[in-house]
Amino acid sequence: MKQRSVTIHHPVGIRSLAVSFPSTIRTNDYWLEKYPQLAKVEPRRARQQRHSPTSDTFTNNGLDIWSQAVAPYLADPFRGNVERRVLGADESALTLEVRAAREALTAANLAPTEVELAIASSLFSEQITLGHATYLAQQLELHCPAWNLESTCSSALVALQNACALVQAGAYRNVLVVVSQIGSQAVAEEDTLSRSMGDGAGAFVVSSLQPQQGILGMKIVPTTSTCGAYSYELVADAQGKPRICTRTGENASALAETAVDFVRTCCKGAVAAANLTLDRIDFFAFNAPTAWYTSVCARALDIPPERTIDLYPRYANIGSVLPLANLYHAAQEGKIRENDLVLVYTNGAAATAAATVMRWGDVALGAAPTPPIDVTHTNLVLWHDSNLDRDNRLVVSNEKLVGLSRETLLATKSAQRHQILQSYVLEWLAHSLQLPLTQLNPQQSLVSLLDSLLAVALKSRIESDLAVRVPMEKFIGNNTIAHLAEFVLYQLALTDLVTSKPIVATEGNEKREQLSI
């Protein structure tokens, strides 16, 4: 289906912006104290000579860009996570939303009676409800329609598009948009995914702006290819209350495989709709659900890192709040000034990816959030020392991992293929975990070596190198390295049978039928 880029002709955009975060800052020490085995990394991974990635390190292939960006974090059990904001006992998604909304209204010098529409998006609220819109309107004493909108991590930009269209159409003059994500309560604490989840809320007011300012162009596309990247189930918490629990899904590798294509499609489409080119953009704000995502986006668009911002060490994954936090801090720090051209990009799994080009106006900001404790290093000092250079920049291993192609494997004797495949997986694990090969063996359980990120990375590498699909379930449970190699060999043999041409042998005038699967 062809996707349409949207060009905005009237000066409408963000008039004020505010963010709100919980008072509790959770560092990696929280997990180290509760799960001390995380600190036990003996034998210690060997230190390697490293270099900063340069242009010749990468290719333009999407999965290669993603793999290079993620490589420095594979040996870190916290995957680049440093700090997260999490709800305290007397806080909730609604309290954060109300605070952000009030800050945005105060900054815009608007009374609640001047708000003509409220749009809310509350992801992973502690309440199992249809949304917070009416409750938010009640708390703020609004006297206008209020409705809920959801597009996972792209909710803020999709709401911005809707609000701008309604203001341009003359239906409303001032629209309040409020988004929140309470990720800390949406994941089981023992799940490694929990180390990346933070909580927060943001709000902005959409109104008419000065000529030439505001939204200039948009591009929004569906991310249906990432359906199944996460799974959701209803569980009971310690108090017996129902809540949504998020887990890594069977299709998690699609997030890596599609990341570069989505950012290129949306960003190039948005600048084209604005009659601009990427080199004209003064500042880029990418939602960063992982520590390496900003790097992936910057490399995909070939832009220098100084033209963007990365708040992941400070907030971790705050979902739909990420673009608002990026814009807020960039404006507060002077990285964005009035009349600068700004591009904002978000990617919502199993929802939409969106890019918006705007000319920044005289945007009023709400109160500044609590500063971070320390975002300059991780708690695992030994990992930090071996993965950062003297300028505190993450670097990638100088050693190149030898790959294995499908053609090379099938060209070897069938009796040798299983051993070759096992060695291929073992070498990848040793390289990624920075462990000596002597510490690994084919009978080791994969689940003892892989978390969700490593499983996705290994799955993507096998599928890229060998052109065969491997379901996520083969990396969990009781599966070993040997089991994985057996499954891949079986799939290769089956695929080879299916795709091979039928051979019709003749003997005299007699034809023999060749059975093919």
Side-chain angles (χ1 to χ4, degrees), residues 211-226:
Q212 308 305 317
Q213 292 183 346
I215 308 304
L216 304 179
M218 295 182 178
K219 178 76 171 181
I220 300 180
V221 301
T223 57
T224 50
S225 58
T226 60

Side-chain angles (χ1 to χ4, degrees), residues 177-397:
V177 177
V178 185
V179 299
S180 70
Q181 174 165 303
I182 309 301
S184 68
Q185 298 185 10
V187 181
E189 192 173 272
E190 62 274 13
D191 190 331
T192 55
L193 194 59
S194 70
R195 302 170 204 167
S196 67
M197 290 298 209
D199 305 334
F204 57 92
V205 172
V206 173
S207 302
S208 296
L209 301 182
Q210 295 297 318
Q212 308 305 317
Q213 292 183 346
I215 308 304
L216 304 179
M218 295 182 178
K219 178 76 171 181
I220 300 180
V221 301
T223 57
T224 50
S225 58
T226 60
C227 286
Y230 295 102
S231 65
Y232 308 94
E233 58 182 295
L234 194 63
V235 301
D237 63 15
Q239 288 73 42
K241 296 180 179 179
R243 67 178 179 88
I244 298 294
C245 184
T246 306
R247 305 185 193 280
T248 301
E250 171 66 28
N251 194 31
S253 61
L255 297 175
E257 294 162 358
T258 61
V260 168
D261 287 341
F262 278 135
V263 70
R264 284 174 173 166
T265 298
C266 288
C267 293
K268 292 179 180 180
V271 295
N275 294 316
L276 297 168
T277 53
L278 286 173
D279 61 293
R280 294 278 308 281
I281 302 299
D282 298 300
F283 189 82
F284 295 80
F286 305 112
N287 74 318
T290 62
W292 52 89
Y293 203 84
T294 297
S295 176
V296 170
C297 293
R299 174 59 193 172
L301 300 179
D302 195 23
I303 63 171
E306 59 267 20
R307 290 169 65 191
T308 186
I309 190 171
D310 186 2
L311 296 174
Y312 191 84
R314 181 168 180 167
Y315 295 122
N317 182 5
I318 48 175
S320 56
V321 186
L322 279 164
L324 304 188
N326 284 338
L327 289 174
Y328 180 93
H329 283 285
Q332 184 193 46
E333 297 169 17
K335 295 178 181 291
I336 300 176
R337 295 179 175 85
E338 187 172 2
N339 291 317
D340 277 355
L341 289 170
V342 179
L343 188 152
V344 187
Y345 171 76
T346 60
N347 188 327
T352 55
T356 299
V357 175
M358 64 182 78
R359 189 176 294 279
W360 195 249
D362 183 17
V363 180
L365 302 179
T370 304
I373 297 174
D374 187 359
V375 296
T376 59
H377 64 278
T378 68
N379 289 295
L380 288 182
V381 178
L382 288 176
W383 175 86
H384 173 272
D385 287 345
S386 64
N387 284 271
L388 301 183
D389 63 16
R390 66 183 64 185
D391 296 319
N392 271 353
R393 294 175 301 184
L394 283 163
V395 290
V396 181
S397 172

